[in-house]
């Protein structure tokens, strides 16, 4: 049941050749990745790419297709057989908030500490620590309806941390939150990672993935597109700079012959490694008509997953 | 701050099945007790209306059933349905809301619980409500001297078992339901006839034979029979069959319900 050897001790999550279909729909297809302990890993992809399905397969909420050589190992356990052992050692932050709205902040945590079998005295101490870690101590006796969305999100993270998990799985942890809360949550996640917790997250925010993650995987329509360290990925797959021309009608297309260019309905993007070329070019525009900047993860994401909408 | 050392002393295996089921039960009790007055008071009120309405009105028109005054016969019968209704409502509307609207189960099965823990805990909670509702009605009826036998004190226990049984049935129904309105078919099409044809308000022996066979299939018939026997001091070995029915029904339907609900939560 637990096939642990020396190398596996350094690995928190191992996914190999995993497929999942729902009737005719192929949600995940030939996915493999590996998350070393005490690192942060992100699954990125457009809506419907299969990120949440993959996360749910790790904790046995969704059972992967039975295919030979297909394997998932989470903390040394197979989620199709040992979901309880995995869930006991893993904190899970779901996409949708699911706090008990009838209960107060502290009661929510108390009830969950019972699910993990934490003795009452120890639970009180732990809850006290977590509320102060998540900066919720003042709201301990408030009802869930009385606290803001950002506080609810922090409370869900606190709830996921109750049993001192060695793996934390977060499905879009900061969607819909203001910049202050987002940055505060990023800080907490960095602290947790430094204390040895392995973090796995999905996100639509490329800056979030870039800031937090040691490695990431971009998936599209259930398949892996690219995987690696965010800096390396940008270096290897993108030009260093981009000139974004905000109104493409201001520009004649002749440069598209020499530079890689992408068009949207209103904008034109010119990519190159030569900063000076773009700088020279930009002088022909008014200051409000262009942005000249280094390329980032979002540029890469759009390059590899396409600019079409994926919510159809 | 993020002190993990304190936590590592504790054994690092998931809690036992018993503890997990208890923790689910505890969660429901905590949420239920949040509205203690509105949840806990009406069960005592309802039997008072019953006594006022039936005792002052209907009771005068009906004489004896066998040797038993109709009012005692009816009061003993009326102890059975509250456990049925409370468990059935809890595990239809309550369960469906937790499943589809509150997403409470999503959080719970992501913690250290399995789907079986969730629904066995849920059934135990419904059983506890059955016990409490039977107790409430019993208390009022005893105060008004409608329960001739001390054995009537066993009623809440049967209320607990019927709570489990109707929780199993309701969960089974819930496992099929796609929208919350579908429950109307269950409540009107299943619970209402059960209320009238399970010997609660009149003895089923007066019914045409085929209907009698049908009412033997109704779970409520069996809890009514045991409860009435307790209240009227008419315990008999044959009641073991009714008890067996309740236990077997609960296990089989409960197992089917949990298997079907598992497919709904784990794809």
């Amino acid at each position: 049941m637990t096939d642990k050897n020396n190398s596996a001790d350094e690995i928190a999550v191992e996914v190999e050749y995993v497929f999942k279909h729902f009737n005719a729909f192929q949600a995940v297809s030939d996915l493999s990745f590996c998350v070393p302990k005490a690192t942060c890993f992100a699954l990125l992809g457009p809506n419907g790419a299969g990120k949440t399905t993959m996360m749910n397969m790790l904790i046995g909420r969704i059972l992967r297709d039975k295919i030979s050589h297909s394997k998932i190992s989470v903390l040394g356990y197979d989620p199709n057989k040992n979901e309880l052992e995995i869930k006991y050692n893993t904190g899970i932050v779901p996409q949708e908030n699911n706090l008990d709205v009838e209960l107060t902040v502290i009661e929510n945590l108390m009830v969950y500490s019972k699910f993990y079998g934490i003795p009452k005295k120890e639970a009180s101490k732990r809850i006290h620590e977590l509320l102060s870690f998540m900066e919720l101590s003042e709201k301990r006796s408030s009802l869930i309806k009385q606290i803001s969305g950002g506080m609810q999100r922090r409370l869900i993270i606190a709830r996921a941390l109750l049993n001192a998990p060695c793996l934390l799985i977060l499905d879009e942890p900061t969607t819909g939150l203001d910049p202050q809360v987002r940055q505060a949550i990023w800080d907490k996640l960095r602290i947790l990672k430094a204390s040895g917790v392995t973090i796995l997250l999905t996100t639509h925010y490329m800056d979030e993935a870039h800031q937090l993650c040691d490695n990431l995987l971009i998936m599209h329509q259930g398949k892996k597109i690219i995987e690696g360290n965010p800096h390396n990925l940008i270096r290897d797959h993108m030009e260093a700079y981009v000139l974004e021309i905000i109104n493409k009608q201001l520009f004649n297309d002749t440069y598209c012959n020499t530079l890689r260019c992408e068009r949207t309905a209103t904008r034109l993007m010119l990519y190159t490694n030569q900063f000076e070329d773009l700088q020279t070019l930009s002088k022909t525009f008014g200051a409000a008509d262009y942005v000249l900047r280094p390329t980032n993860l979002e540029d890469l994401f759009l390059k590899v997953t396409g600019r079409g909408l994926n919510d159809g | 701050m993020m002190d993990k050392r304190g936590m590592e002393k504790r054994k690092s295996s998931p809690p036992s099945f018993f503890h997990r089921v208890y923790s689910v039960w505890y969660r429901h009790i905590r949420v239920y007790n949040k509205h203690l007055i509105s949840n806990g008071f009406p069960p005592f009120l309802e039997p008072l209306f019953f006594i006022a309405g039936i005792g002052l009105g209907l009771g005068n028109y009906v004489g004896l059933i066998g040797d038993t005054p109709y009012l005692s016969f009816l009061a003993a019968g009326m102890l059975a349905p509250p456990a049925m209704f409370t468990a059935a409502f809890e595990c239809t509307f309550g369960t469906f809301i937790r499943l589809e609207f509150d997403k409470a189960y999503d959080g719970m099965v992501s913690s250290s619980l399995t789907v079986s823990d969730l629904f066995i805990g849920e059934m135990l909670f419904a059983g506890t409500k059955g016990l409490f509702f039977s107790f409430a009605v019993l208390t009022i009826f005893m105060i008004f001297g409608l329960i001739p036998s001390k054995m009537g004190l066993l009623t809440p226990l049967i209320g607990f078992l019927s709570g489990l049984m109707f929780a199993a049935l309701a969960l089974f129904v819930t496992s099929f339901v796609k929208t919350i309105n579908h429950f109307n078919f269950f409540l009107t099409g299943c619970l209402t006839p059960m209320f009238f044809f399970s010997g609660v308000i009149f003895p089923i022996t007066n019914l045409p034979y085929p209907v009698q066979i049908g009412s033997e299939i109704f779970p409520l018939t069996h809890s009514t029979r045991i409860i009435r026997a307790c209240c009227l001091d008419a315990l008999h070995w044959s009641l073991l069959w009714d008890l067996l029915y309740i236990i077997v029904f609960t296990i089989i339907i409960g197992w089917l319900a949990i298997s079907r609900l598992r497919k709904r939560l784990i794809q």
Side-chain angles (χ1 to χ4, degrees), chain B residues 8-68:
Chain B
E8 276 164 9
K9 282 182 210 147
R10 196 158 50 81
K11 69 180 170 83
S12 62
S13 56
S16 65
F17 170 72
F18 174 80
H19 186 103
R20 299 197 308 267
V21 168
Y22 162 73
S23 69
V24 174
W25 178 88
Y26 172 85
R27 182 256 172 212
H28 290 324
I29 293 285
R30 271 308 269 272
V31 173
Y32 185 77
N33 286 352
K34 272 279 151 178
H35 307 284
L36 195 56
I37 306 282
S38 55
N39 281 333
F41 184 58
F44 290 93
L45 211 56
E46 214 171 275
L48 282 173
F49 288 128
F50 168 80
I51 289 169
I54 306 291
L56 300 176
L58 184 68
N60 296 332
Y61 296 95
V62 193
L64 296 173
I65 290 185
D67 303 327
T68 316

Side-chain angles (χ1 to χ4, degrees), chain A residues 18 21 31 37 119 135 178 226 229 232 240 259 267 275 278 286:
Chain A
V18 164
H21 73 279
L31 204 57
K37 281 189 176 161
E135 294 166 55
D178 66 34
I226 45 174
N229 172 277
N232 298 349
L259 305 174
R267 284 173 306 145
F275 183 73
L278 294 178

